[in-house]
Amino acid sequence: MAGGNAIRGSRVGAGPMGEAERGEAAPRHRVGFWCANGHESRIAFAADAEVPETWDCPRCGLPAGTDQQSPPPAPRTEPYKTHLAYVRERRSDADGDALL
């Protein structure tokens, strides 16, 4: 039994047309970025685009830089502080006893 949809399995715009139909692609160059874990990411940028200093590593999420020998350090994450920890930073134990 034949299927009812003639374009099943294809998408809009798919077909035998090539670069002549879509136009020429912009000139590009690839730039290597390395993270602190040693992962390398080769990102393609347009030839006239400004290359950023850092790029997020797609494998681990750490910041990656263009210098393989000294990649940017991992961002320092502060542990979660409770309300009591913030109060203790502002007041001494003697101040707390005087208030209570």
Side-chain angles (χ1 to χ4, degrees), residues 11-94:
R11 60 184 172 83
V12 175
M17 63 180 152
E19 293 296 323
E21 294 290 329
R22 288 191 285 262
E24 294 296 320
R28 300 181 182 275
H29 67 281
R30 292 190 168 271
V31 179
F33 289 90
W34 289 269
C35 70
N37 289 337
H39 301 139
E40 179 186 10
S41 304
R42 308 251 344 136
I43 310 297
F45 291 97
D48 59 347
E50 183 178 334
V51 177
E53 291 182 20
T54 60
W55 191 268
D56 290 339
C57 178
R59 291 181 65 190
C60 63
L62 292 176
T66 55
D67 186 9
Q68 184 178 7
Q69 302 305 319
S70 61
R76 185 174 166 204
T77 56
E78 294 290 328
Y80 176 76
K81 289 185 183 179
T82 63
H83 175 69
L84 183 58
Y86 283 111
V87 170
R88 285 188 174 156
E89 284 181 359
R90 292 191 312 259
R91 299 183 190 271
S92 66
D93 288 337

Side-chain angles (χ1 to χ4, degrees), residues 1-11:
M1 183 170 178
N5 193 351
I7 60 171
R8 185 174 184 186
S10 63
R11 60 184 172 83

